[in-house]
Amino acid sequence: MICGSYYFPKKNKGDDAHFICAQEQTFGVADGVGGWAKLGVDASQYARELMRNSIKSVKKQQAFGGVDPRRVLNEAYVKTKCKGSSTACILTLKDKGVLHFVSVGDSGFMVLRNYKLLYMSPRQQHRFNHPYQLGYSTRFDNPRSATKIKIRVFPGDILVLGTDGLWDNMYPNEIVQFVENMREMKPEALACALASVARVRSLDKGRFSPFSRAAQKAGIKYLGGKKDDITVVVGYIMATSTPASSCVEGLEIISDNTTQLGLKRSTPWWRLCSWPCNCFRSSTPKKDTTRI
């Protein structure tokens, strides 16, 4: 898997944080809860410390046999002591093409195969615009509330991971269509392009955005995009000895705890296109990337 990322802060440095550990095939995002600013607390501080501690855990685990994103999130949570709260999402590609994903809150990811939406992770919210969040005290959620998913992926599959600034401003079908139109882009360029479109959408006051739709379902009248920090990470699954995704039918979910958590499981898209996708070719993974 090769990855690239891009970050658009809402203002100044923003409240999002993310990392990419290329050698460990692991990346993550966190979105600091902006409401802390009203209490005089830097809303980005918790998210950034959480991601720093995640990197430390990833490096430590890799030295002892492999990365478990559940352990990464738990260890990072225990060691993050500053005031604040944050959503968090960590993803690891392990041997035999199994994608391990753990998330608390409304950040999430989608898997594209042959430029069709194969899977989209559920979002965790207590109520409208109030996501699950890790925090410095026991009144917040904790890693036991995390969504934990394992999915088998194949060469040619594309992963899009983002904070809510992406999902609140672009519908899934828009993202899929955009990715298809931007074939052959490197991961970082595609992440930048997606974040740029989401930012433009967020400033459109007359658009019925995904955020507008969610507000309507909650009985709230709202029209327009949602101005927010936007983090996008794109990953391309590269060729190995396994079959290319153009030869694979359907979705294989190895494990998914969303039902136990009382969440609505995402709907798989079983009808895949028949033409072969362009398998992306690349050299060795890029060096580690961190934005904290």
Side-chain angles (χ1 to χ4, degrees):
M1 178 173 65
I2 60 169
C3 303
S5 64
Y6 204 83
Y7 175 49
F8 264 124
K10 180 171 62 175
K11 59 181 180 179
N12 301 323
K13 61 182 180 179
D15 302 326
D16 283 5
H18 74 277
F19 72 91
I20 297 174
C21 291
Q23 296 300 323
E24 292 81 7
Q25 297 285 274
T26 302
F27 53 87
V29 299
D31 179 4
V33 177
W36 283 98
K38 297 177 182 178
L39 302 176
V41 176
D42 182 349
S44 69
Q45 188 177 358
Y46 189 92
R48 292 175 181 175
E49 186 173 324
L50 186 71
M51 292 293 95
R52 287 191 191 100
N53 289 328
S54 295
I55 294 170
K56 293 176 183 177
S57 179
V58 167
K59 299 293 184 181
K60 182 180 72 174
Q61 288 186 36
Q62 185 65 18
F64 290 93
V67 178
D68 179 351
R70 292 176 297 180
R71 281 183 55 201
V72 171
L73 184 63
N74 190 65
E75 290 178 4
Y77 166 75
V78 169
K79 292 180 179 179
T80 303
K81 302 296 185 181
C82 65
K83 274 192 174 183
S85 58
S86 171
T87 67
C89 179
I90 298 173
L91 188 153
T92 299
L93 179 65
K94 306 197 79 169
D95 293 340
K96 299 180 181 179
V98 178
L99 196 68
H100 295 240
F101 169 82
V102 61
S103 177
V104 174
D106 54 4
S107 296
F109 82 106
M110 59 167 53
V111 180
L112 280 65
R113 181 170 297 165
N114 296 332
Y115 300 103
K116 299 291 183 181
L117 179 59
L118 183 69
Y119 180 83
M120 187 167 181
S121 63
R123 302 175 73 181
Q124 293 180 314
Q125 290 190 331
H126 292 290
R127 58 183 181 274
F128 171 68
N129 208 28
H130 188 93
Y132 285 30
Q133 52 196 274
L134 302 175
Y136 76 104
S137 72
T138 55
R139 68 188 182 92
F140 294 99
D141 300 294
N142 60 62
R144 289 193 298 273
S145 302
T147 299
K148 305 177 188 73
I149 299 168
K150 296 179 186 178
I151 298 176
R152 194 174 303 281
V153 292
F154 295 87
D157 287 354
I158 301 173
L159 315 177
V160 178
L161 176 71
T163 54
D164 63 334
L166 173 65
W167 312 114
D168 284 340
N169 291 297
M170 292 186 72
Y171 290 99
N173 63 317
E174 287 184 292
I175 296 173
V176 173
Q177 186 63 55
F178 187 83
V179 171
E180 183 175 12
N181 292 340
M182 297 295 169
R183 298 185 187 209
E184 307 297 340
M185 266 193 171
K186 293 183 178 180
E188 187 171 1
L190 181 55
C192 176
L194 280 168
S196 299
V197 172
R199 183 170 182 267
V200 171
R201 298 276 198 273
S202 74
L203 303 175
D204 187 344
K205 296 180 180 180
R207 184 169 188 263
F208 189 70
S209 65
F211 188 75
S212 301
R213 184 179 182 182
Q216 185 183 69
K217 289 182 177 180
I220 300 171
K221 187 177 180 180
Y222 182 92
L223 184 64
K226 182 189 177 188
K227 295 180 182 179
D228 203 352
D229 302 316
I230 301 168
T231 299
V232 180
V233 184
V234 172
Y236 293 161
I237 305 300
M238 306 305 296
T240 62
S241 58
T242 58
S245 62
S246 58
C247 304
V248 178
E249 292 290 336
L251 169 67
E252 182 182 353
I253 299 177
I254 298 172
S255 66
D256 183 346
N257 75 331
T258 53
T259 302
Q260 295 95 304
L261 293 175
L263 300 172
K264 183 178 180 181
R265 181 174 290 185
S266 294
T267 303
W269 289 69
W270 298 99
R271 300 184 63 182
L272 307 179
C273 61
S274 58
W275 67 82
C277 70
N278 292 329
C279 291
F280 296 94
R281 298 179 180 179
S282 177
S283 54
T284 56
K286 289 184 177 181
K287 62 181 181 180
D288 294 354
T289 304
T290 309
R291 172 53 172 85
I292 52 179

